[in-house]
């Protein structure tokens, strides 16, 4: 069923999707995201002045304006630009100052249109240009910029320089009104910016798709505000500016973007910076079952993506062979029903025997090994047989894999589990069940970054996660996204399965975030 849907996956191209068989007025809207190769400050730590700062930022804004015009020609109703795309990055708190615009705290009620009222506040030149772009393109516009807000020294949290500096997303309506601003909550080593004292829960309404939620880059890995927007504000559409540094095999930008849309059954509009020297690429427009994305670590080009997506993602269907097919998310797989779980025994198997367990025929213990994957110490077992069933645990998380290799190859795969606190480049608790291609033929290469694979593997992967927040990730050769055939909860287990892949498997993982244990 899902094999036929691969005709909707077009990496590396700018495209507009038109599905004439299913278009109904009010049921779809046209979205655009732009992966921008920013013109950067050659010396970001040097002090400058407002005029030189504006000169640099206007060069990037010129590019933005051209993309708005192009998106408007394709009927886009909303466009999203990436994090740091206007001013760049690697500033100090002092050197970024002249790159910051002022946004009034009362923006939500002010109904200010910077394009029509350019002199209402000082230091708002970037906001003015963005507002005029939205107005000219007659589309909603989301862009990331640096902002400043004066504070009183009597404020115990006020920095010594007397101002707050924020990593900010600004949202403009189609007539140029500044609707909202979101200040990034989860900063990623961004020493030029402050964390807001209270979490911004930013939701804005549109006439074409109702409510959108807003957050930025690293926020996607945390409960606040990302999950709160979806759970407490019933958001079905997310705009997501990012400057995401890719990390294989599980956390490339397109993997987490795809997994978030799939896991929460929402639409995600994600715009990333393009900078291959910093491993930054990967933008897309995602519905629960379709991906329109761009990922290119070889070229240095930017990319505009335009796609038509459903207003109500939970009712999404897709066309295959001229017939309407429904996305299934609950599936009674026999393996789920036939394999009993004993968490206590499972924990002892890992801690005492350091072994995984085969569930085919006799209970055969398979020697486990340890290897680092994405800075975490995973427990692995090799996947060496033509087909089999494996069980592997870490603490009370037990992972299960049923697999069959469609064509024999010399490539080494490993089945791994991690259940613990990730502490490098951020601190957060994860539970992961993963089938990954190793970098070579020795066990110590398992967990390395891999981009190519030739082995076609049918699999069913599941685990008894302690968290309800689990994201299915499926990546194939040449960093190409795939969707599982089925995924979701079955009793106490989260699962996904896939058959008949068209290219080699790089990584298949269930990535659980146990937010309460952060």
């Amino acid at each position: 069923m899902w094999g036929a849907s691969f005709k909707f996956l077009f990496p590396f191209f700018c495209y507009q999707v038109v599905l004439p068989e299913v278009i109904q007025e009010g049921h779809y809207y046209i979205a655009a995201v732009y992966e921008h190769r920013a013109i950067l400050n050659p010396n970001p730590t040097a002090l400058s002045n407002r005029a030189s700062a504006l000169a640099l930022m206007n060069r990037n804004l010129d590019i933005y304006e051209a993309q708005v015009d192009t998106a408007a020609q394709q009927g886009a109703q909303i466009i999203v630009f990436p994090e740091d795309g206007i001013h760049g990055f690697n500033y100090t708190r002092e050197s970024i100052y002249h790159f910051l615009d002022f946004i009034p705290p009362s923006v939500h009620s002010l109904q200010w249109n910077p394009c029509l009222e350019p002199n209402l506040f000082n230091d708002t030149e970037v906001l003015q240009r963005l507002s005029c772009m939205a107005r000219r393109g007659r589309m909603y516009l989301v862009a990331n910029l640096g902002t400043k807000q004066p504070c009183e020294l009597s404020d115990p949290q006020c920095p010594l320089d007397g101002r707050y500096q924020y990593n900010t997303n600004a949202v403009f309506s189609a007539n140029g009104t500044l609707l909202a601003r979101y200040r990034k909550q989860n900063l990623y080593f961004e020493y030029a910016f402050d964390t807001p004292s209270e979490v911004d829960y930013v939701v804005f309404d549109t006439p074409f798709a109702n409510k959108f939620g807003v957050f930025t880059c690293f926020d996607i890995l945390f409960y606040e505000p990302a999950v709160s927007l979806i759970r407490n504000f019933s958001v079905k559409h997310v705009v997501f500016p990012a400057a995401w540094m890719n990390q294989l095999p599980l956390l490339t930008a397109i993997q987490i973007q795809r997994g978030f849309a799939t896991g929460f059954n929402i639409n995600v509009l994600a715009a990333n910076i393009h900078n291959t020297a910093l491993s930054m690429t990967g933008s897309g427009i995602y519905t629960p079952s379709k991906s329109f994305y761009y990922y290119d670590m070889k070229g240095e080009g930017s990319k505009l993506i335009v796609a038509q997506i459903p207003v109500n993602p939970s009712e999404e269907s897709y066309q295959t062979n001229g017939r309407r097919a429904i996305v299934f998310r609950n599936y009674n797989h026999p393996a789920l029903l036939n394999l009993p779980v004993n968490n206590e025994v499972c924990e002892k198997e890992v801690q005492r025997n350091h072994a995984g367990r085969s569930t085919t025929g006799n209970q055969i213990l398979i020697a486990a090994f340890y290897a680092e994957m994405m800075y975490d110490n995973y427990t692995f077992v090799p996947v060496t047989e033509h087909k089999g069933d494996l069980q592997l645990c870490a603490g009370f998380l037990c992972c299960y894999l049923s697999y069959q290799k469609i064509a024999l190859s010399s490539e080494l795969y490993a089945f791994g589990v991690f259940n613990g606190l990730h502490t490098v480049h951020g601190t957060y608790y994860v539970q992961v069940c993963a089938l990954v291609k190793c970098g070579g033929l020795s066990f110590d290469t398992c967990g390395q970054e891999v981009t190519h694979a030739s082995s076609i593997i049918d699999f069913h992967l599941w685990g008894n996660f302690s968290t309800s927040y689990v994201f299915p990730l499926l990546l194939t050769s040449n960093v190409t996204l795939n969707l599982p055939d089925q995924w979701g909860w079955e009793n106490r287990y989260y699962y996904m399965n896939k058959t008949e892949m068209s290219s080699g498997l790089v990584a298949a993982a269930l990535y659980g975030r146990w937010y309460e244990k952060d």
Side-chain angles (χ1 to χ4, degrees):
M1 179 180 72
W2 280 92
S5 74
F6 290 156
K7 61 186 178 182
F8 293 110
L9 302 182
F10 300 109
F12 317 125
F13 294 92
C14 170
Y15 39 77
Q16 178 177 359
V17 176
V18 179
L19 305 177
E21 299 87 354
V22 297
I23 291 178
Q24 299 180 47
E25 187 67 28
H27 288 219
Y28 293 85
Y29 66 98
I30 298 176
V33 303
Y34 181 58
E35 177 158 319
H36 177 48
R37 184 188 177 193
I39 300 170
L40 299 176
N41 187 339
N43 191 0
T45 61
L47 300 182
S48 64
N49 55 53
R50 181 67 173 174
S52 61
L54 285 173
L56 173 70
M57 293 191 289
N58 277 322
R59 294 173 67 191
N60 286 304
L61 289 168
D62 289 343
I63 298 171
Y64 280 23
E65 188 169 323
Q67 299 306 315
V68 169
D69 290 345
T70 302
Q73 293 170 10
Q74 299 184 54
Q77 294 158 283
I78 184 170
I79 188 168
V80 183
F81 291 101
E83 182 184 23
D84 298 333
I86 295 173
H87 54 71
F89 29 72
N90 294 329
Y91 293 92
T92 67
R93 181 175 183 86
E94 294 74 23
S95 67
I96 203 172
Y97 174 70
H98 289 293
F99 292 83
L100 306 178
D101 267 35
F102 171 75
I103 291 187
S106 56
V107 61
H108 301 287
S109 59
L110 190 61
Q111 290 296 297
W112 174 42
N113 190 312
C115 188
L116 300 181
E117 303 174 276
N119 300 318
L120 193 59
F121 302 101
N122 293 326
D123 294 340
T124 59
E125 293 91 339
V126 173
L127 293 170
Q128 292 167 29
R129 285 207 66 180
L130 293 170
S131 170
C132 292
M133 285 181 213
R135 186 175 178 83
R136 173 175 168 173
R138 297 180 181 180
M139 69 183 69
Y140 281 67
L141 185 149
V142 181
N144 178 268
L145 70 157
T147 64
K148 59 189 176 184
Q149 181 181 322
C151 55
E152 299 293 336
L153 293 179
S154 58
D155 175 358
Q157 296 182 332
C158 182
L160 294 177
D161 52 22
R163 64 181 181 269
Y164 291 112
Q165 300 182 173
Y166 296 117
N167 178 330
T168 303
N169 296 334
V171 181
F172 299 87
S173 72
N175 69 5
T177 298
L178 180 58
L179 292 180
R181 62 98 174 95
Y182 167 72
R183 301 168 302 177
K184 186 177 181 183
Q185 181 67 30
N186 299 283
L187 299 175
Y188 188 81
F189 303 102
E190 298 168 69
Y191 304 112
F193 292 122
D194 299 303
T195 300
S197 58
E198 296 182 355
V199 178
D200 284 345
Y201 300 108
V202 174
V203 176
F204 64 95
D205 288 309
T206 68
F208 51 85
N210 301 318
K211 291 189 294 188
F212 282 74
V214 187
F215 52 87
T216 308
C217 203
F218 203 36
D219 287 330
I220 203 170
L221 290 179
F222 297 89
Y223 193 92
E224 301 292 2
V227 181
S228 282
L229 287 174
I230 296 165
R231 292 301 184 218
N232 301 333
F233 295 85
S234 301
V235 165
K236 295 294 183 183
H237 313 267
V238 164
V239 292
F240 180 58
W244 189 278
M245 301 175 68
N246 291 298
Q247 189 175 16
L248 288 160
L250 304 183
L251 282 183
T252 64
I254 58 174
Q255 278 176 296
I256 193 64
Q257 294 161 11
R258 169 72 271 164
F260 201 83
T262 303
F264 284 115
N265 199 33
I266 62 172
N267 294 333
V268 174
L269 282 54
N272 195 16
I273 279 282
H274 190 91
N275 188 311
T276 56
L278 297 175
S279 297
M280 292 176 172
T281 184
S283 305
I285 299 171
Y286 307 87
T287 74
S289 66
K290 297 188 184 77
S291 306
F292 311 97
Y293 67 98
Y294 172 73
Y295 181 99
D296 184 7
M297 276 295 294
K298 296 180 180 179
E300 293 302 330
S302 302
K303 186 65 66 175
L304 177 68
I305 304 169
V306 182
Q308 181 178 262
I309 57 177
V311 170
N312 190 344
S314 62
E315 296 179 357
E316 180 184 50
S317 62
Y318 66 92
Q319 299 290 311
T320 175
N321 298 326
R323 296 177 300 169
R324 186 182 296 273
I326 305 299
V327 179
F328 294 100
R329 292 187 180 80
N330 284 299
Y331 180 74
N332 293 323
H333 193 279
L336 288 176
L337 306 177
N338 296 335
L339 185 62
V341 176
N342 184 317
N343 286 335
E344 183 177 357
V345 172
C346 189
E347 182 179 22
K348 291 178 180 178
E349 285 173 3
V350 174
Q351 292 181 345
R352 296 183 182 180
N353 299 323
H354 304 287
R357 182 177 294 277
S358 169
T359 58
T360 302
N362 297 327
Q363 297 295 299
I364 303 171
L365 290 178
I366 301 172
F369 63 93
Y370 301 96
E372 186 179 279
M373 185 161 73
M374 296 170 50
Y375 304 107
D376 294 322
N377 191 26
Y378 276 70
T379 302
F380 285 106
V381 291
V383 180
T384 54
E385 301 300 319
H386 176 62
K387 63 179 179 179
D389 302 280
L390 297 171
Q391 170 182 322
L392 187 62
C393 305
F396 291 106
L397 171 64
C398 285
C399 302
Y400 305 89
L401 174 68
S402 225
Y403 71 93
Q404 180 173 348
K405 297 179 181 179
I406 303 306
L408 295 177
S409 76
S410 61
E411 295 174 325
L412 175 63
Y413 282 80
F415 177 44
V417 58
F418 179 77
N419 178 22
L421 190 67
H422 175 87
T423 58
V424 179
H425 301 158
T427 302
Y428 46 91
Y429 200 101
V430 293
Q431 292 187 314
V432 183
C433 301
L435 171 62
V436 296
K437 180 181 179 292
C438 302
L441 298 180
S442 59
F443 290 172
D444 61 358
T445 66
C446 297
Q448 292 181 355
E449 295 197 0
V450 174
T451 58
H452 297 83
S454 59
S455 298
I456 307 296
I457 303 176
D458 292 349
F459 68 87
H460 188 90
L461 176 64
W462 69 104
N464 63 335
F465 290 85
S466 303
T467 174
S468 59
Y469 300 102
V470 183
F471 305 101
L473 311 177
L474 183 54
L475 200 67
T476 54
S477 193
N478 296 313
V479 195
T480 304
L481 288 177
N482 264 236
L483 275 166
D485 293 333
Q486 289 92 22
W487 65 90
W489 287 98
E490 181 68 32
N491 298 321
R492 294 184 298 119
Y493 305 94
Y494 196 95
Y495 71 93
M496 70 172 178
N497 57 44
K498 184 67 178 178
T499 61
E500 300 180 352
M501 281 189 294
S502 58
S503 57
L505 178 66
V506 170
L510 298 174
Y511 192 89
R513 273 290 286 114
W514 198 348
Y515 301 108
E516 295 85 352
K517 290 182 73 70
D518 286 356

